[in-house]
Amino acid sequence: MSTKTHLELTGVDIDFPTPSGPFKALSNVNLKIKRGEFVSLIGHSGCGKSTVLNIVAGLYQATKGGVLLDGKEVNEPGPERAVVFQNHSLLPWLSAYENVELAVKQVFKNSKTKAEMKEWIEHNLHLVHMDHAMHKRPDEISGGMKQRVGIARALAMEPTVMLMDEPFGALDALTRAHLQDSLMEIQADLNNTVIMITHDVDEAVLLSDRIVMMTNGPAATVGEILDVKLERPRHRLELADDPEYNHYRAAVLSFLYEKQRKPDEAAGQPEKNEKKAKSNNPAQKVLNTKQQDAEQRGEEAA
Amino acid sequence: MSSMALKLLKPLGFPDKLNLASLIKALVVPMSGILIFLFIWNIGARNIHTSLGEFPGPAQVYEQSKNLLNEHNRERQKEADFYQRQDDRNAKKLAKNPDAEIKIRSYTGKATFIDQIGTSLVTVLAGFFAASLIAIPAGIVIGLNKTLYSAFNPVIQLFKPVSPLAWLPLVTMVVSAVYVSDDPMFAKSFVTSLITVSLCCLWPTLLNTAVGVSTISSDLNNVSKVLRLSWLTHVIKIVIPSAIPMIFTGLRLSLGIAWMVLIAAEMLAQNPGLGKFVWDEFQNGSSNSLGRIMVAVIVIGLIGFMLDRIMLMLQKKVSWDKSQELR
Ligand SMILES: Nc1ncnc2c1ncn2[C@@H]1O[C@H](COP(=O)(O)OP(=O)(O)O)[C@@H](O)[C@H]1O
Ligand SMILES: [Mg+2]
């Protein structure tokens, strides 16, 4: 990990046009990311995390300020900033292999031979443990497998930055844990720069080098940044009892549920969202009940 | 062993257990529907008296269908005989004088019921094909561009409900004026029918394609943007596959309309085909006419049904959306 700034967001504002005038979703977002760093974005639902990611991806244009990647301004989407979308976004009429192939053909059309491309596609599917089902179509594989293929597709673009929008949000806890482990392995190998949005505190602490906590919208911005100095490789079981790990967890939880507590939550609004599958992380077993309460509320708010 | 066989049959649409209930559902119920219909038809027919005699019941219609088939076979025999005679004549001539000029004429018999079916099928498929060739690309372009969509939507909505009978005089006049050649590749009547059919069946395909294209999920569009696909690759790899189910819904509707329109156009314009057959029989006014028309009605229905089934088969084959139930 070099210390030079690799990706830089400076004074980013965005106004969305709405029928009742412009809506300021982000205001003065500043963030510097080093090469090879794994950064999580965490914040309450609707605060503007996806918007930040989409601006870095080039899918949205900042109204004010901008994004520099290796000194060059970002103003359109491109494969060097690969995106893993929340709901996989695989083309349903193509097999896993063909989905990755579409990306590989586009990115390496002038630099790889057919045989090299085939090898590269299979290599990336292997990285995410999808060798056995690579000729199946999205409707024939599970949600976790689809997300794996989405990650393989992004990895296969050999991106400078990987952007992941709640990549495991729709998965059950066990599958999520598997994918987190896979992602850590891959990350140890390839040392990609990653920005990942999550609403899962454990996931953020386990995976990240830094956790960027966003304030509530409208006009959301970066609230606090937490450096996670846990040694790698990290193992979820060992970390469960690690005081340092629990200290980081508590820091994020306190930001989300004390400092950025949502007004409707404070008022004790009745639960309206369906309960999501509770995290199966063993770390949760050592939580005191207060934290568990807080987390549960958080999951329902997300 | 037998459970094994059942497992093999399952993908073909056979029910899990070939029990009595499913057998009744699959065969007996539709059959009894048909029988009830025939019964009511039979009773009804006997009580309707027209100037051409009693309305034809199932028995008369069956009789007439046999007659029509026989007429066709006789006509074919006549044709074969004609060519045989001509060949013999020419052979004799050449035997006498190898340099003799020989004439080869083609047979000009009257078109039989079967011939008319053939003509109608060729015309409807040609018209449908021409319409699809225009409607699918146009639908893609309109669907991809909101401005174009808003611009053309009123025009499409205006022409969509127009009956073929309204188009026909205009098309006939325009074809007569524009399609002039000494040795035309296609008969004028064929061109007129084709254009009328195309004009009427264009719209469902056009609209469904446009809607299918414009409702592509924004996620897939984003994938395309991140990959920086060129416009053409985007259309070929993302837009068309994603709109295929809608395009086929449109095509099926279009083919159904094409078939209905064609029969009406043929009747009105006296263009060869099943429509003309019906009209000729009506003008003919013999005691058999109604029966023969009824045969035509049933054949028209059967062909329409068949065309729809063929489209459905194609649709199931190309549709990637297996969750969508097609019927
Ligand atoms: N394209 C858009 N047009 C208008 N408003 C938008 C658009 N995208 C996002 N927003 C608004 O911006 C805010 C942040 O949205 P988003 O970034 O999706 O939140 P998050 O990902 O943190 O849940 C929300 O209030 C949302 O309604
Ligand atoms: Mg979001």
Side-chain angles (χ1 to χ4, degrees), chain A residues 59 77-79 87 89 92-93 106, chain B residues 219 226-228 237 241-242 320:
Chain A
L59 293 166
N87 58 349
S89 297
W93 52 88
Q106 181 67 15
Chain B
D219 282 328
V226 168
L227 286 173
R228 288 217 190 105
K237 296 277 180 179
S242 143
W320 45 265

Side-chain angles (χ1 to χ4, degrees), chain A residues 16-18 23 25 43-52 60 165-166 197:
Chain A
F16 288 116
T18 64
F23 171 77
H44 285 288
S45 183
C47 72
K49 305 179 294 293
S50 297
T51 309
V52 171
Y60 287 171
D165 192 346
E166 300 192 20
I197 296 178

Side-chain angles (χ1 to χ4, degrees), chain A residues 199-212:
Chain A
H199 58 245
D200 180 339
V201 179
D202 287 300
E203 179 171 279
V205 178
L206 185 66
L207 296 178
S208 317
D209 297 313
R210 278 195 298 160
I211 301 175
V212 175

